[in-house]
Amino acid sequence: MVMDCQPFYSYSRNALNMAAAMKAQKTGLLELRVTVDRWIRVLATLTEDTLTVNPGEGVEEPAKPNPSGPAGAINGDPPNLSSSPVPETITNVKRTVRVTKQDVGGLGISIKGGKENKMPILISKIFKGLAADQTEALYVGDAILSVNGYDLREATHDEAVQALKKTGKEVVLEVKYIKEMSAFFKNSVSPGATLPWDSPPSSPHRGAELSPAEVKEPCSIPLKMCQVSRKRCPPDTENRYFEVISSSRRSSVFLRAKDPAMAQSWYNAIQAGAASLLPRVMEEMRSMQLGVEVKHLGWIAEQVTQGPEKPVLAVLTDRDLVLYPSLPESRESLGNPTKSHPLIATRLVHSGPGKSSPLLDSDLSFGLRSGTKQGVETHVFRVDSAKELSTWTHLVVEGCHNAAELVKEVTAACSWNGKECTLGVHIDEGFTLFTQEMGVRKSILLQQPFERLRMSSDDGVRMMFLDFGGQEAEIQLDLHSCPKTIVFIIHSFLSAKVKRLGLLA
């Protein structure tokens, strides 16, 4: 779907095409999704800094009529889709339907929904004359509960597709008709060509569907910090979809190539174009906020406990990992991220496929834990490729070590043996308990190097325990707030010291 793409109203179409062709790095015909089930052909042009899609004289992909089916449509459905009347008596009643698959056309249905969409697996279309239609016992809006005894009630869309594809000639479906879903699918049907097992996804963006008049003009998305993704697309069994989203998150195009090779070629080319502009973006950020060293930035997806994942622009500096909803274009927006993780109080705890991912290249993610005054926070981020995962993993670990070397020392007010004092932790000098007046250290109560630390622990509320052995044994410090921040910093100092010895890769 196109959302608020930037039209070139000040140029004629011929002038635009000529200018784009002069510096085009890649051109070709693709299909642009206009509504859930409707695509139009477009000429895509990729230059050094812009992706332009031009409807030109492209025509909407027509419906493919079934020559043996009725000439007319039922309830607005195109003639190759079946829309049999549904008996009221079957609503919300489990039914078992036996389907004999055909050599051509398989089951003859399309499905939508899935666990990731918080919906059951639903029959969205039944194609006339094919196996499901011939049973006269299946309806649009039927939820598929199981296939040949395999439970689909908690299945993702892709899992359901694979389960249905792997069935033999005889298929036993347990279904339940959901009337509300049937009404939704009938209203969304359009004459766009749809083949069995081709279930065009809903865009992650919930913008209004565009009328044909709104896609007659060319539109462009700047490559500067745009996001191009294939993982964000809902299950794509043919591996032909990709989406390009502008840095502001206000513009996007959802595109389909003729085959997987072409889709990957466009994906790689757009990624390469965006990557070539990264140095310019990093320099602009440095100029907006002097003293901040930007090490890396890119789009990642934050996993949340409830609801869909949240795309964020992650910026790794010499001290922090900061997250933005879109590319900051001003000093004010750069200084107001949605979240900031101090690297010295952050550690990497996971990198690789998710625990629930059966495939090595699916759901690649890395997990971070941060010590805060509220306790330990855990955040998981998904990336699109193994290369991105390797880059972020390496740079985050390296950034935590470098931040420890850069900060060198932290202090925190505390109480020890009933006396108010200050705890200082220095990467080289170790632990110091001291009193101070007017910001000046007055007397040292205790001093121990890192090498003497045998064990550290905390109660997660306000107490921290440090065991240096010897006469002092374990000392108990009341930090007056959650000790997790200082505990994570101690870990970072220790890790950085080990790195100095060359014991970490």
Side-chain angles (χ1 to χ4, degrees), residues 132-168:
D133 184 40
Q134 290 180 356
T135 67
E136 299 182 349
L138 291 171
Y139 306 92
V140 170
D142 270 335
I144 303 178
L145 308 180
S146 70
V147 52
N148 288 350
Y150 181 81
D151 195 341
L152 296 184
R153 283 174 290 188
E154 291 294 319
T156 65
H157 183 279
D158 193 45
E159 289 170 347
V161 168
Q162 295 306 317
L164 289 165
K165 275 188 172 182
K166 291 176 182 178
T167 55

Side-chain angles (χ1 to χ4, degrees), residues 299-481:
W299 289 100
I300 57 180
E302 183 172 11
Q303 310 291 297
V304 295
T305 54
Q306 293 183 341
E309 64 184 21
K310 181 174 62 176
V312 292
L313 179 64
V315 180
L316 188 70
T317 72
D318 51 355
R319 293 174 182 263
D320 304 284
L321 175 66
V322 288
L323 307 178
Y324 298 91
S326 59
L327 178 66
E329 299 283 2
S330 66
R331 182 174 299 180
E332 181 181 2
S333 59
L334 185 62
N336 288 281
T338 54
K339 189 71 177 179
S340 180
H341 300 280
L343 291 175
I344 196 172
T346 299
R347 71 181 69 158
L348 180 78
V349 294
H350 162 75
S351 176
K355 293 181 179 180
S356 61
S357 301
L359 303 177
L360 288 177
D361 61 348
S362 66
D363 294 333
L364 296 173
S365 62
F366 63 94
L368 303 178
R369 283 183 185 160
S370 299
T372 74
K373 290 184 177 181
Q374 289 72 44
V376 178
E377 292 184 359
T378 301
H379 300 270
V380 179
F381 302 95
R382 183 185 61 75
V383 295
D384 278 0
S385 68
K387 181 180 179 181
E388 288 180 84
L389 181 64
S390 175
T391 298
W392 278 109
T393 299
H394 171 74
L395 290 177
V396 167
V397 173
E398 184 181 68
C400 293
H401 293 151
N402 292 342
E405 298 283 2
L406 188 63
V407 174
K408 291 189 179 298
E409 183 181 27
V410 295
T411 59
C414 65
S415 298
W416 179 48
N417 292 336
K419 185 173 185 178
E420 294 297 322
C421 55
T422 300
L423 170 66
V425 184
H426 193 286
I427 190 171
D428 296 315
E429 298 173 5
F431 301 83
T432 305
L433 283 173
F434 59 91
T435 60
Q436 59 181 354
E437 289 183 4
M438 305 296 292
V440 178
R441 297 190 183 189
K442 184 178 180 182
S443 59
I444 295 177
L445 306 178
L446 179 144
Q447 192 166 22
Q448 293 285 0
F450 267 106
E451 290 75 13
R452 292 285 303 277
L453 181 65
R454 293 183 176 182
M455 186 179 68
S456 66
S457 59
D458 65 272
D459 66 355
V461 180
R462 56 188 294 166
M463 300 299 295
M464 183 171 69
F465 311 97
L466 301 174
D467 184 359
F468 296 104
Q471 294 181 349
E472 293 86 2
E474 180 183 83
I475 66 172
Q476 301 182 18
L477 301 176
D478 184 347
L479 296 177
H480 310 309
S481 62

Side-chain angles (χ1 to χ4, degrees), residues 190-207:
S190 80
T194 313
L195 299 176
W197 295 113
D198 181 6
S199 300
S202 299
S203 170
H205 303 280
R206 299 302 182 190

Side-chain angles (χ1 to χ4, degrees), residues 26 66-68 87 107 127 230 239-240 250 252 303 331 400:
K26 186 178 180 66
N66 183 349
S68 61
L107 287 171
F127 293 83
R230 306 189 72 182
N239 202 25
R240 296 191 292 146
R250 290 191 292 266
S252 71
Q303 310 291 297
R331 182 174 299 180
C400 293

Side-chain angles (χ1 to χ4, degrees), residues 244-300:
V244 187
I245 309 162
S246 70
S247 62
S248 66
R249 313 300 295 179
R250 290 191 292 266
S251 306
S252 71
V253 286
F254 196 101
L255 298 163
R256 181 171 70 180
K258 71 175 182 179
D259 54 44
M262 178 181 283
Q264 190 64 41
S265 173
W266 274 98
Y267 173 87
N268 293 341
I270 298 169
Q271 281 276 49
S276 69
L277 299 175
L278 276 179
R280 182 196 305 178
V281 178
M282 295 169 72
E283 185 57 39
E284 290 174 355
M285 286 187 168
R286 294 188 188 104
S287 65
M288 284 192 289
Q289 198 169 50
L290 298 177
V292 174
E293 185 69 23
V294 179
K295 300 293 186 180
H296 187 62
L297 72 163
W299 289 100
I300 57 180

